[in-house]
Amino acid sequence: KMTKKVLFAGESWFIYSTHVKGFDSFNTTTYESAETNLKLALEADDFEVDYMPNHIAAEKFPYEMSELEQYDCIILSDIGANTLLLPNPTFSKSEYKPNRCNLIRDYVLAGGSLLMVGGYMTFSGIEAKGKWQDTAIQDVLPVQVLNRDDRTEHGEGIYPKTIQQNHPILAGLGEWPPILGYNQTILKDEAQLLAEVLCDPFIAVGEYGKGRSAAFTTDCAPHWAPPEFCDWESYDLLFQNIVNWLIKKL
């Protein structure tokens, strides 16, 4: 049986806290990541998942097509474009490096696949710092990324709505659980809308060159994906279906 390989980048962060106790203060640092739910969901369907946290992806995400071609699908989740555009040798020493956003576009057009998952640093993101709309990846996304902070926060909980009931990605899923927010985008003319939330794209897919891409505009983990979503009985099946469709196995 052929191995299905995925490169999953993002979903990690460092927290630097200042504790003030009267006259005195001190700092603590913690590292957190939220790849587990999505990684386990894919591994349960025989995917081999190479996970790169943001700080590792900055330096180790492939620069060459021969490296990218080892993967059937690239997943970008809560990782900003600058992390790929500004590797340390370029930022600190002005060294030339291949543009990895151009590389991902070319990889999709040549038959690869891409899934962008929502978050504070994907699509446009918080304070518009995601900046994916200014990269070549915009050319192979099924949605237009907005040129502003695109987050919509809904602490009251909102429910996605299925549009294409008979699409293989949505086959066998139960009722949608609530989400707490998402990245607002605009569906492209050539793309297919599978599900929406508050009349905005929730899941959209498209075909670009020989490859495919998908946009999933909420998070795969907290906070936008609350426990009801992460523990949803159809969570694993949803992401298995998305990636299997992207790699033309569904």
Side-chain angles (χ1 to χ4, degrees), residues 8-77:
F8 177 12
E11 284 300 333
S12 71
W13 56 95
F14 290 90
I15 300 171
Y16 187 64
S17 304
T18 301
H19 305 249
V20 180
K21 300 194 175 184
F23 180 85
D24 299 297
S25 67
F26 63 93
N27 298 315
T28 58
T29 309
T30 53
Y31 168 75
E32 296 180 0
S33 68
E35 82 286 358
T36 306
N37 286 330
L38 180 49
K39 185 171 183 285
L40 289 176
L42 295 178
E43 288 174 345
D45 193 38
D46 296 322
F47 281 93
E48 182 182 321
V49 181
D50 285 352
Y51 170 60
M52 284 188 185
N54 281 300
H55 63 289
I56 302 296
E59 304 309 317
K60 300 295 186 186
F61 193 94
Y63 288 99
E64 305 296 336
M65 184 65 79
S66 59
E67 295 177 86
L68 266 195
E69 284 174 342
Q70 297 174 31
Y71 297 98
D72 299 292
C73 183
I74 307 299
I75 299 176
L76 300 174
S77 183

Side-chain angles (χ1 to χ4, degrees), residues 103-117:
L103 187 67
I104 292 171
R105 173 200 58 198
D106 295 345
Y107 158 83
V108 172
L109 294 175
S113 65
L114 172 68
L115 167 61
M116 185 172 282
V117 178

